[in-house]
Structures are given as C-alpha cells and as structure tokens.
Amino acid sequence: MQQLKDAPLAPLTTFRLGGPATRLVTATTDDEVIATVREADASGTPLLVIGGGSNLVIGDKGFEGTALHIATTGCSLDGTRLELAAGEVWTDAVARTVEAGLAGVECLAGIPGSSGATPIQNVGAYGQDVSATIAEVVAYDRRAEETVTLTNAECAFSYRHSLFKEHPERYVVLRVRFDLEDADGMSAPIAYPETARALGVEAGDRVPLARARETVLRLRAGKGMVLDAEDHDTWSAGSFFTNPILTAAEYETFLTRVADRLGPEVAPPAYPAGEGRTKTSAAWLIDRAGFTKGYGSGPARISTKHTLALTNRGEATTEDLLALAREVVAGVRDAFGVTLVNEPVTVGVRL
C-alpha cells in the first residue's frame, strides 16, 4: 500500500484536472481498502474514493483529506458468472468476456474507468446498462462497519443512478459479480438504433461478439470517447450531462419552446422513460441551443467530435471547465426551459 503526502490528483482523472490531496493512499487489496476507510472514519478525516477517475471533476484547490485510489486486481469466470475486483480496468474486462464468448456487456466496450465504478453510475451505452447483468455487488458498509453483499434488486438501479450514488458516503464497492449469457459466441440482441445501423442489422438481431465490440469501439472513437493521450477530445469525462427525463407537463412545455425557437416541423428526440415520462437528448439540446462541436475559445471547450463532451485542451483549470459547463446549462435553460444535470461527480466545487 503506497502513501503519499500533498499528492497531485489530476493524473488520476481523465480530465487531467484538480489540485492535490493532503494524503493519497493507493490500495491493491480489499483489506487495504477497508483498512484505509476505517482509519479515515475513525479519525474523522474526509475521504475521497478514486477508481479510474473518468467521472470526477476535482477543484483546483484539491482535496483536504485522504484520497483512496482503488487499484485492486482480480478477474474470474465461473461458467457465465464473472467476478471483478473494483480496481480492474473496465475496458479490459469487457474484452475478456468477448474472448470467453459471453454476452451482456460487449456494447459497453471502450468506456473508461474501473469496474467498481460501473454499478455506482449504472454505466450504460449503446443499448446496454450494467444493471441488466449485475448479480451482486460486494461493498464495505461504512455505517455498519462491515462487508456486505447486495443483490441486484438491493442496488436500486435506475437511469445513471443506484443505491451507491444515492448514499455516496456509505458504501465503498469492492467487487462486482455479473451473470452473462452464453449465446454460442453471439451478442445480446442489438438494442440501440445507431449500433444496428452501423452493423447493418435490425434491432433485436444478434451478431458475433467481436463484431459488436469492434463496432462500438469504432463508434465511440469517432466521438472522442475512447481514451487517447494524444487526442484532447478524450481529455474529458465522456458525457458531461445526463439525458433529461421530463414529466408529461414538462414535455409539453418543452415542445412549445422547441416549436417557438426552431419551428413547428422540428421534432426533438423522445424516448419513453416510464410512468408518463419522456427522455430527450442532452446532446441535441446543447447543439440546438447554439453550442456546436468545438465551441469555446479558451482552454476548456466542447469536443470537436461530440457536443456532449466538455474537454481540457491541455492548459485548462477546473474553473475553466466549470465556466464552460455553466454557460451551456444557462444557454439550454434559456432556449428550451430544460436544466441539464452534470453526470460527473464534483469534488470541492459545484456547477
């Protein structure tokens, strides 16, 4: 277990932003993770848990307390049951499932970050969410001071949300167990229209696992959402805003605003979201509010490949990034009456 004082946190995030932590602990076993958490809790020291750093916006002043970098390893397959240590690199884990001929997460290829973060955010893309395959999550419960195993139902998954996100100070994920599908080397049914079009198949069809994974990687790379140190479009947190979910009344008001601004013939993206709610596209809102690809003139700008990604062009500060985010939020609200919500977790700052 490595311990450093006044340690920079920016290198541990995909934004490459943020000041130092008073103390940085890198834990490589579950026991080290638990010991560090218990020590911080016993002393009343603020604790920041960092996995792959792909969903973090850390303030320029850094973090006064203990930053715990989870670097645990371990990947095991028992039939169709996959168990991952929280520190396992998610993209590598997806590749292993494809090599093993198991379906269920192949369309989540290329998503940066650690495996332990996937249930927290209920990570999803291209028609798949981890909640569809997660069987159990092993976590340290800071309130009960014990290790617990939570079933899928107990994780209370919803769109980009979970029990762990609802109670961020209570649980530290240690291991994630998935129940995958043996479909004779074929993918899960393709659910996302863009993926189906790229594959040249109909929604609901299956394709070879490797083909599904490679197609998703190509789609993501085209949007700057596969990490590349040389490409500043990937110096981001991926999608910075979640897709808004509107009530029936909110959606009717939204349609009126769209018609007033863009004309009655324009139909915004709309997807059923349950209980009379409708989900629309944050990327569409941002673009139609005037924040197009590459928007900005400072060191933080919208990606040149995707309007949903805010990026560090190399010399940005966290305040530069937040200024851009606030401008986008205000612009979309003024244009369409919809308030965007940031997807990354903010540390020491607020949007």
Side-chain angles (χ1 to χ4, degrees):
M1 185 166 64
Q2 184 187 67
Q3 301 187 48
L4 298 173
K5 293 184 178 179
D6 197 29
L9 296 180
L12 298 179
T13 74
T14 52
F15 265 124
R16 295 168 170 81
L17 295 176
T22 307
R23 175 173 173 250
L24 172 64
V25 176
T26 300
T28 58
T29 68
D30 289 354
D31 287 345
E32 290 177 355
V33 171
I34 293 170
T36 303
V37 174
R38 283 178 170 167
E39 178 189 3
D41 289 348
S43 63
T45 302
L47 179 70
L48 171 64
V49 178
I50 302 175
S54 61
N55 202 45
L56 277 180
V57 177
I58 299 174
D60 293 318
K61 292 182 179 180
F63 182 72
E64 292 187 11
T66 295
L68 168 59
H69 180 212
I70 297 182
T72 55
T73 57
C75 174
S76 64
L77 272 170
D78 183 6
T80 57
R81 171 62 66 91
L82 169 71
E83 179 173 304
L84 298 172
E88 280 288 328
V89 176
W90 175 249
T91 54
D92 295 344
V94 172
R96 292 190 191 108
T97 68
V98 171
E99 291 169 3
L102 297 177
V105 295
E106 62 280 357
C107 290
L108 302 178
I111 294 177
S114 64
S115 298
T118 60
I120 298 172
Q121 191 74 3
N122 186 16
V123 164
Y126 296 99
Q128 290 183 344
D129 296 304
V130 291
S131 58
T133 50
I134 287 178
E136 296 175 336
V137 175
V138 180
Y140 178 69
D141 184 339
R142 297 169 67 182
R143 183 185 301 172
E145 298 184 4
E146 64 180 9
T147 300
V148 296
T149 299
L150 301 170
T151 65
N152 182 291
E154 290 171 329
C155 292
F157 291 120
S158 59
Y159 174 64
R160 302 296 171 268
H161 201 69
S162 68
L163 175 74
F164 312 105
K165 192 171 182 180
E166 184 72 22
H167 302 285
E169 302 298 322
R170 178 169 179 179
Y171 297 100
V172 177
V173 174
L174 301 173
R175 298 186 168 270
V176 189
R177 296 172 182 146
F178 299 81
D179 280 339
L180 304 175
E181 179 188 8
D182 186 348
D184 295 322
M186 302 297 281
S187 70
I190 299 300
Y192 198 67
E194 183 183 9
T195 315
R197 288 194 299 270
L199 288 163
V201 301
E202 298 294 325
D205 289 349
R206 294 177 184 261
V207 300
L209 279 164
R211 186 180 169 206
R213 174 178 174 270
E214 290 161 5
T215 298
V216 166
L217 286 173
R218 187 170 64 253
L219 289 171
R220 290 186 64 86
K223 299 173 183 177
M225 293 195 175
V226 175
L227 291 181
D228 179 352
E230 302 303 314
D231 182 1
H232 284 281
D233 278 325
T234 73
W235 289 32
S236 74
S239 299
F240 194 88
F241 300 103
T242 57
N243 290 322
I245 296 178
L246 308 176
T247 64
E250 289 170 340
Y251 185 62
E252 288 303 316
T253 301
F254 168 57
L255 289 179
T256 300
R257 296 286 290 269
V258 171
D260 290 345
R261 182 180 178 89
L262 304 175
E265 73 285 355
V266 175
Y271 312 95
E275 300 179 1
R277 295 172 180 267
T278 301
K279 180 168 68 175
T280 191
S281 166
W284 187 92
L285 290 168
I286 293 166
D287 182 74
R288 295 305 180 95
F291 302 100
T292 54
K293 295 175 184 176
Y295 177 88
S297 57
R301 303 178 198 173
I302 290 177
S303 166
T304 65
K305 300 182 179 72
H306 199 289
T307 54
L308 203 48
L310 307 188
T311 66
N312 171 10
R313 308 315 293 184
E315 301 296 330
T317 65
T318 301
E319 280 306 310
D320 293 328
L321 176 76
L322 293 175
L324 175 62
R326 291 169 186 140
E327 182 183 1
V328 171
V329 170
V332 169
R333 186 190 299 116
D334 290 344
F336 300 112
V338 176
T339 300
L340 295 176
V341 176
N342 52 291
E343 187 167 326
V345 175
T346 56
V347 177
V349 291
R350 294 182 65 182
L351 189 57

